[in-house]
Amino acid sequence: MKDLSVGELFGVEGKTVLVTGGARGIGLMIAAGFVANGARVYIASRSKDACEAAAKKLTAEGPGTCVALSEDLSTEAGCVNLAKMFRAREDRLHVLVNNSGTSWGAPLEKHSEKGWDKVYALNVKGIFFLTRELLPALDAGSTTTDPARVINIGSIAGERPQVFPTYSYDASKAAVHHITRKLADELADRRQKGGHAITVNAIAPGYVPSAMSDGLAMYKESEEIAKSGIPLRRKGAPQDMAGAALFLSSNAGAWITGTTVRVDGGFLAKL
């Protein structure tokens, strides 16, 4: 029987990981979790300075290491370039965390086309094109018992519409959850492509303090949600985000694909 120890089931030591949007917010929480458990982590962001500062701090904390890459993932060309930069440094990728995202809020009567194009370009197209470009590295990082992993960061807003006027954001996160299921089926068998298998799952965070969630403070409903709308009576924390990603990336999550894991303190279960 395979070792059922915690280290064997949940360890990620030695894995190579790429986290987009890893310089701040949920991406930084997830990157920190991998570094703290001995992985070699690459973080990508449009902000070169923020990315390099975060990578330096995470490497100092160890025991894993962190490397900064800078690119705009809202275009196909940016995704192609990031993949090239990564593959110039590594020949295999064990875990891709598609976390980069943006939001937009405006009343229905004033919601602009720019608000749709900006959000969909990064939140949906970015996931598709970067995953496509990194398939050779993911194939190289997969084995018969340990598939490569793609983890897309969705949102509970993609499961249930928010009370806020975030039309393009909510729809984009529903699209993230749907493309997760579609890619999961497509990438489950990679034997004819030189790999073994790639699992594709999504994490749907609830109310987690970040620059993006801070943007909801202008709406009076956000205070009510934070105070009494979460059954477990607290906002999300770094360990909640990192823990979900580590689980899906470890041996314990090797037979899970095509699912969206809600990490929301029970918000969507609230009657």
Side-chain angles (χ1 to χ4, degrees):
M1 181 179 293
K2 193 172 182 178
D3 188 357
L4 298 180
S5 67
V6 170
E8 180 66 26
L9 277 175
F10 298 101
V12 295
E13 184 176 1
K15 289 199 171 189
T16 301
V17 182
L18 172 59
V19 182
T20 68
R24 55 175 62 90
I26 289 174
L28 180 58
M29 298 174 193
I30 290 173
F34 279 107
V35 172
N37 285 278
R40 178 169 175 78
V41 180
Y42 288 79
I43 57 174
S45 169
R46 284 180 298 176
S47 174
K48 181 179 179 181
D49 291 343
C51 216
E52 290 180 345
K56 182 178 180 180
K57 182 175 185 294
L58 291 181
T59 296
E61 294 172 352
T65 58
C66 188
V67 179
L69 300 174
S70 179
E71 188 52 79
D72 180 1
L73 299 178
S74 65
T75 67
E76 181 180 9
C79 294
V80 170
N81 192 47
L82 178 61
K84 286 181 178 178
M85 286 192 288
F86 175 82
R87 295 185 66 191
R89 294 165 173 80
E90 302 284 347
D91 61 358
R92 64 190 62 204
L93 177 61
H94 300 107
V95 184
L96 168 62
V97 181
N98 287 308
N99 167 76
S100 285
T102 189
S103 185
W104 191 279
L108 178 62
E109 296 81 4
K110 297 181 179 180
H111 202 294
S112 66
E113 183 177 22
K114 179 182 178 181
W116 283 95
D117 293 345
K118 178 183 178 181
V119 169
Y120 260 74
L122 185 57
N123 293 13
V124 184
K125 286 168 55 180
I127 286 177
F128 177 81
F129 287 122
L130 184 61
T131 301
R132 183 193 70 183
E133 292 301 308
L134 286 170
L135 285 177
L138 289 163
D139 283 332
S142 69
T143 70
T144 54
T145 58
D146 190 11
R149 321 296 168 90
V150 175
I151 301 172
N152 300 323
I153 305 303
S155 170
I156 59 170
E159 299 281 304
R160 180 193 297 172
Q162 300 188 95
V163 297
F164 314 111
T166 49
Y167 300 99
S168 57
Y169 177 81
D170 292 18
S172 77
K173 290 304 184 178
V176 169
H177 299 170
H178 190 77
I179 201 170
T180 294
R181 294 188 292 270
K182 188 169 182 65
L183 288 174
D185 179 62
E186 178 76 18
L187 303 181
D189 187 349
R190 299 290 293 172
R191 288 174 293 181
Q192 293 185 353
K193 303 293 184 179
H196 295 281
I198 301 171
T199 68
V200 188
N201 294 290
I203 294 173
Y207 201 122
V208 180
S210 68
M212 188 175 293
S213 64
D214 288 346
L216 299 175
M218 69 178 72
Y219 304 110
K220 64 180 186 301
E221 294 91 345
S222 66
E223 184 176 353
E224 181 181 346
I225 290 173
K227 286 184 175 180
S228 59
I230 303 173
L232 289 181
R233 300 185 301 282
R234 69 170 175 85
K235 300 176 185 178
Q239 60 266 31
D240 301 313
M241 298 298 101
L246 290 170
F247 165 65
L248 290 173
S249 303
S250 68
N251 285 329
W255 206 49
I256 299 172
T257 195
T259 192
T260 295
V261 180
R262 301 171 176 177
V263 188
D264 66 350
F267 181 81
L268 290 180
K270 187 177 177 66
L271 298 177

